[in-house]
Amino acid sequence: VKHLRHTVRFAEGVGRLLEGERYVMVEVGPGRTLTSLANAHQAKGPGHAILTSMPPADERVGSLPHMLQALGRM
């Protein structure tokens, strides 16, 4: 309930995670909302990878090839 009723400090949390030199984030589930927000973060550097586990609904690539590509990038 506390999480639903109070402000979510997503940018602060992502910034904290990206403080490391090399970091991989994987968005689990459909959509790219969190991936887009994390990619736009100013702390993102060349050693960071932010990936999605599933393709967007409008993409013609199957789920398995998309996930295998993400695993390869990791």
Side-chain angles (χ1 to χ4, degrees):
V1 171
K2 196 176 192 180
H3 179 72
L4 294 173
R5 298 195 67 193
H6 296 315
T7 303
V8 176
R9 297 173 7 209
F10 182 79
E12 185 179 321
V14 169
R16 181 73 173 220
L17 291 172
L18 294 175
E19 285 176 359
E21 208 172 288
R22 295 174 54 104
Y23 217 95
V24 175
M25 293 183 191
V26 179
E27 182 164 356
V28 179
R32 292 181 179 221
T33 304
L34 299 176
T35 302
S36 297
L37 292 171
N39 272 318
H41 201 280
Q42 62 186 358
K44 184 177 181 281
H48 299 116
I50 302 171
L51 311 168
T52 58
S53 65
M54 296 178 67
D58 60 348
E59 199 171 289
R60 296 275 188 230
V61 177
S63 294
L64 182 59
H66 185 87
M67 184 175 286
L68 291 174
Q69 184 179 19
L71 286 170
R73 289 183 60 201
M74 280 193 274

